Amino acid sequence: MKKDKGQEVQTSALIEERSPNYGAIEFQMLDIGKLHESPDNPRKRFEEDALNELAESIRSRGIYTPLIVRANSDGYEIGAGHRRFRASKKAGLAQVPCIVRQLTDDEFLELLVIENDQREDVHPLEEAEGYFALSRRPGYDTPKIAARIGRSIKYVYDRLKLLSLIKEAQKLFLENKFSAGHAILLARLSPSEQAKAMKDKEDMRILFLLSG
């Protein structure tokens, strides 16, 4: 999914708001065994080939951008840098550069969502899961989420609508069998209408043709 360049700059700025300029803050080299991925990270899918390429880059050039973590009872929970963490393990690193931040649960979840939002390979359904998790926090309505991530209200609303897809439709969408635009059209149908459309290829064809 191609990200708009202006939006990428905007979301990068939002991360910097939570994390001061890397050149102006000291980072720590932490044992990789003390780090763990956040269970609240909405991103669950990582392309193996892309991870292998990143691991090779890390072997030859190191890590340019520190991970952002917070301390907890299990060590350090990763807020930004899950791909770098996975690739660093593949590369055999014993330690990785980290910025340790004191973040509330709301701030931490926002960081997770913002970082994922600027990744080109995050699936729309994973975006939707992140926005939904934020929406369950007090004070995080659709307009606020849109403002925090630098997106339009309609964009956030449409992504949230994807969660109305029935399981079979979600599975095919995750397999990239149809586009996000087509998925939104399907999500606007009732579950029974979705199931009927999934079984009838002609219904699906007409639905997608009507979308232009």
Side-chain angles (χ1 to χ4, degrees):
M1 177 179 54
K2 185 69 173 176
K3 299 288 184 183
D4 178 80
K5 191 65 176 178
Q7 184 268 337
E8 183 176 328
V9 171
Q10 193 170 10
T11 48
S12 295
L14 288 172
I15 286 183
E16 288 173 6
E17 176 186 324
R18 291 294 182 207
S19 179
N21 186 285
Y22 292 125
I25 190 171
E26 291 187 3
F27 60 84
Q28 304 176 36
M29 296 300 296
L30 296 179
D31 292 342
I32 201 165
K34 294 182 178 180
L35 307 180
H36 64 90
E37 297 188 35
S38 174
D40 294 323
N41 185 18
R43 183 176 187 182
K44 307 300 181 186
R45 301 163 68 249
F46 294 84
E47 294 290 339
E48 195 67 21
D49 289 345
L51 281 177
N52 289 333
E53 289 178 9
L54 182 56
E56 186 58 38
S57 174
I58 287 173
R59 285 191 193 96
S60 59
R61 301 182 181 86
I63 298 177
Y64 290 143
T65 305
L67 285 67
I68 301 176
V69 303
R70 68 173 179 177
N72 64 13
S73 59
D74 296 322
Y76 295 91
E77 183 179 11
I78 300 169
H82 287 79
R83 284 183 72 250
R84 275 165 279 154
F85 171 68
R86 290 191 177 206
S88 295
K89 290 202 297 184
K90 282 179 171 289
L93 268 61
Q95 294 183 320
V96 291
C98 297
I99 296 172
V100 181
R101 302 297 308 278
Q102 290 186 339
L103 298 169
T104 66
D105 289 343
D106 285 354
E107 289 172 334
F108 192 78
L109 180 58
E110 188 174 307
L111 177 62
L112 285 168
V113 173
I114 289 172
E115 200 227 2
N116 281 329
D117 195 68
Q118 61 178 337
R119 302 275 78 85
E120 290 191 4
D121 55 350
V122 173
H123 195 277
L125 272 175
E126 292 176 323
E127 284 185 276
E129 292 285 358
Y131 301 161
F132 179 70
L134 272 180
S135 74
R136 298 180 66 184
R137 301 281 184 174
Y140 280 93
D141 56 11
T142 301
K144 180 174 180 178
I145 294 171
R148 295 304 298 148
I149 65 174
R151 295 284 196 178
S152 69
I153 294 174
K154 182 180 185 304
Y155 181 93
V156 175
Y157 175 81
D158 283 346
R159 283 295 186 264
L160 288 171
K161 190 64 180 175
L162 292 173
L163 299 178
S164 298
L165 289 169
I166 61 176
K167 293 299 182 183
E168 183 184 355
Q170 287 190 20
K171 180 177 182 296
L172 292 177
F173 185 32
L174 286 169
E175 294 171 355
N176 298 315
K177 300 299 185 182
F178 44 83
S179 70
H182 289 153
I184 290 168
L185 282 175
L186 192 60
R188 289 173 181 161
L189 302 177
S190 69
S192 60
E193 290 173 328
Q194 288 184 47
K196 181 178 181 297
M198 296 293 293
K199 291 179 180 178
D200 192 328
K201 292 183 179 180
E202 182 63 17
D203 281 355
M204 287 282 283
R205 189 183 70 83
I206 292 173
L207 177 67
F208 293 166
L209 282 175
L210 288 176
S211 71

